[in-house]
Amino acid sequence: MDTKALFKFSSGLYVVSAKDGDDYGACVINTGLQLTSEPLQVQVVVNKQNHTEGVIERAGHFALCAITEEADMPYIGRFGFRTSTAFDKFAGIECAETVLGDPYTPACAACVIACKVVQTLDVGTHMIFVGEVKDAEVLSDAAPMTYAYYHSTLKGKTPPKASSYVAE
Ligand SMILES: Cc1cc2nc3c(=O)[nH]c(=O)nc-3n(C[C@H](O)[C@H](O)[C@H](O)COP(=O)(O)O)c2cc1C
């Protein structure tokens, strides 16, 4: 089996974030997807070892931002290669909150949506959260970053906790 076949799948890059009391987390995902229009629902797929996964589960809501091509590797590194348990990902950058109280950064974000978790599905290493969209805002006209752009232009790597990670 050639698992590189799955590299042909297209996806975008997102930051999913959530806040539960004093605890919050945020991480890069490439598994944001619109599921339905009525009701308006999206999914995110988050590794159980990511701090953000537990925060979404406890909070019952999350924010989802589509990353733009303005994002550089330090930005991706902040949200995608470091953990919220050891590092405050929102320190030192502009921060806002959705109507559901989840933090996000408008920098390098094409849009933000506020979602209430309406279903969860345990798929082993990851949890799928289905979110009903409670609010949505366009933040920028800059091009949303695709996973292909991340690989080809930023020369970015796929970390082990990403759904698409395949060990060499
Ligand atoms: C390009 C890229 C794609 C990623 N895709 C996912 C994903 O779809 N799901 C996931 O759980 N983690 C994904 N990750 C990994 C998390 O962003 C990473 O483990 C992060 O450090 C977790 O932070 P946290 O512990 O604060 O939640 C991805 C990272 C990158 C750089």
Side-chain angles (χ1 to χ4, degrees):
M1 180 165 73
D2 185 1
T3 53
K4 287 198 174 60
L6 287 105
F7 291 174
K8 303 293 182 190
F9 280 32
S10 299
S11 62
L13 283 191
Y14 305 84
V15 174
V16 62
S17 51
K19 183 166 186 265
D20 173 51
D22 291 339
D23 193 12
Y24 53 95
C27 69
V28 171
I29 58 166
N30 68 295
T31 46
L33 187 67
Q34 180 174 352
L35 294 174
T36 56
S37 300
E38 288 183 15
L40 194 49
Q41 296 181 117
V42 299
Q43 69 155 41
V44 294
V45 186
V46 188
N47 193 299
K48 291 175 186 172
Q49 290 178 20
N50 284 344
H51 182 69
T52 309
E53 191 277 331
V55 183
I56 297 173
E57 212 166 298
R58 289 187 295 278
H61 45 76
F62 60 85
L64 188 62
C65 290
I67 298 174
T68 69
E69 288 181 359
E70 296 159 327
D72 54 13
M73 277 314 287
Y75 178 95
I76 302 282
R78 170 186 285 258
F79 290 103
F81 286 94
R82 303 183 71 173
T83 176
S84 312
T85 52
F87 169 67
D88 182 352
K89 298 189 181 186
F90 291 107
I93 49 170
E94 186 189 354
C95 188
E97 251 186 30
T98 67
V99 289
L100 298 178
D102 297 310
Y104 68 94
T105 176
C108 306
C111 67
V112 59
I113 58 173
C115 302
K116 178 177 178 293
V117 175
V118 290
Q119 280 192 61
T120 57
L121 179 63
D122 187 330
V123 288
T125 51
H126 289 66
M127 291 292 283
I128 300 178
F129 296 102
V130 176
E132 188 169 322
V133 179
K134 296 297 180 187
D135 195 26
E137 193 182 341
V138 173
L139 299 173
S140 158
D141 287 332
M145 189 182 290
T146 63
Y147 210 2
Y149 178 98
Y150 171 74
H151 286 302
S152 64
T153 305
L154 290 187
K155 309 286 181 213
K157 299 261 181 287
T158 301
K161 289 177 194 162
S163 315
S164 53
Y165 176 75
V166 179
E168 290 296 324

